[in-house]
């Protein structure tokens, strides 16, 4: 073989650009999530949707509500449904993981997620929730944001806030923030999506 043959017969793989994204909106709708807390979450989700639609031609939105069980719902039900109950976060993460497997192959979709909660979860569920995030969900996500909504200034660490701390060191695309009033939402969003965000 001549060197010229080697030079002109080499094939180099070129990655296929992924121009579509899916945003998973996960929200705790248990009894402790008041309408004002849901409103804070909604404001955040609206900003995230605007951000994604500027970067992708196609954006799907998947709404998942959870108490001790989780379900995919439409937007109206997501924000205004009335069911309440205890809090099991892993139920929402399991639902998200199932939907990804069924409808959103990672080779074809950029996957984003935003989880809003007041920080409550049953202690016995934290191990399962962290396992799902660490092993199944974060490895396939471009970005995962946890926003903790509170009625008061962020003071004591909640169960979720403390439980998510180890994930920050292992996953650069995992971030968490807190918001206690509508004025916090845009600064929180900017912090999450700035190039030099601090956690």
């Amino acid at each position: 073989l001549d060197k010229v043959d080697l030079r002109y017969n080499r094939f180099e793989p070129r990655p296929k650009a992924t121009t579509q994204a899916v945003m998973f909106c996960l929200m705790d709708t248990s009894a402790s999530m008041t309408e004002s807390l849901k409103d804070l979450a909604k404001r955040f989700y609206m900003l995230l949707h605007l951000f994604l639609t500027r970067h992708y031609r196609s954006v799907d939105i998947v709404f998942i509500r959870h108490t001790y069980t989780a379900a995919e719902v439409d937007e109206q039900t997501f924000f205004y449904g009335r069911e309440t109950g205890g809090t099991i976060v892993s139920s929402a993460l399991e639902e998200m993981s199932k939907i990804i497997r069924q409808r959103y192959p990672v080779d074809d979709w950029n996957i984003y997620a935003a989880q809003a909660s007041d920080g409550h979860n049953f202690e016995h569920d934290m191990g399962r929730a962290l396992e799902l995030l660490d092993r199944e969900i974060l490895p396939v996500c471009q970005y995962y944001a946890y926003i903790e909504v509170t009625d008061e200034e962020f003071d004591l660490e909640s169960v979720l806030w403390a439980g998510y701390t180890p994930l920050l060191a292992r996953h650069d695309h995992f971030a968490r923030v807190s918001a206690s009033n509508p004025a916090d939402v845009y600064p929180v969003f900017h912090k999450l999506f700035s190039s030099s965000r601090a956690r």
Side-chain angles (χ1 to χ4, degrees):
L1 289 176
D2 192 276
K3 289 182 180 179
V4 172
D5 296 321
L6 293 173
R7 187 176 61 190
Y8 288 103
N9 282 295
R10 284 164 54 188
F11 295 93
E12 293 184 8
R14 292 184 179 179
K16 182 181 71 172
T18 302
T19 58
Q20 55 191 2
V22 56
M23 178 176 74
F24 284 86
C25 300
L26 285 65
M27 186 162 62
D28 174 7
T29 56
S30 61
S32 58
M33 281 289 286
T34 63
E35 289 304 316
S36 63
L37 296 183
K38 291 176 188 174
D39 181 66
L40 289 176
K42 183 176 182 179
R43 291 168 186 264
F44 178 82
Y45 289 132
M46 289 172 64
L47 284 175
L48 181 55
H49 180 245
L50 288 172
F51 173 82
L52 292 176
T53 53
R54 292 183 64 181
H55 287 79
Y56 297 98
R57 288 202 301 264
S58 172
V59 180
D60 280 10
I61 306 176
V62 177
F63 295 103
I64 298 175
R65 288 171 60 100
H66 78 90
T67 54
Y68 56 88
T69 60
E72 180 181 1
V73 296
D74 60 29
E75 183 176 3
Q76 181 71 17
T77 304
F78 182 75
F79 289 111
Y80 302 109
R82 295 294 182 184
E83 74 272 14
T84 63
T87 309
I88 296 184
V89 171
S90 66
S91 65
L93 300 173
E94 286 171 348
E95 183 71 7
M96 176 180 169
S97 185
K98 180 186 77 174
I99 293 169
I100 290 172
R101 291 193 303 270
Q102 291 176 346
R103 305 204 311 254
Y104 298 102
V106 295
D107 290 341
D108 299 324
W109 290 84
N110 286 309
I111 299 170
Y112 293 83
Q115 176 191 359
S117 172
D118 58 3
H120 293 277
N121 193 28
F122 285 124
E123 290 279 0
H124 67 76
D125 183 56
M126 283 306 298
R128 176 60 178 154
L130 293 174
E131 179 184 31
L132 283 164
L133 278 170
D134 202 24
R135 298 185 182 180
E136 293 187 27
I137 292 175
L138 290 174
V140 301
C141 281
Q142 269 61 47
Y143 198 62
Y144 190 107
Y146 169 63
I147 178 169
E148 189 156 301
V149 290
T150 64
D151 283 321
E152 301 174 354
E153 289 298 320
F154 189 70
D155 228 352
L156 299 175
E157 285 193 346
S158 68
V159 171
L160 282 182
W161 190 272
Y164 285 172
T165 298
L167 298 177
L168 297 171
R170 294 199 292 274
H171 301 280
D172 290 339
H173 57 295
F174 177 79
R176 64 179 183 186
V177 289
S178 65
S180 58
N181 62 72
D184 292 339
V185 175
Y186 182 75
V188 155
F189 181 83
H190 185 266
K191 178 181 178 181
L192 283 174
F193 289 92
S194 66
S195 58
S196 57
R197 61 186 182 274
R199 293 190 294 270

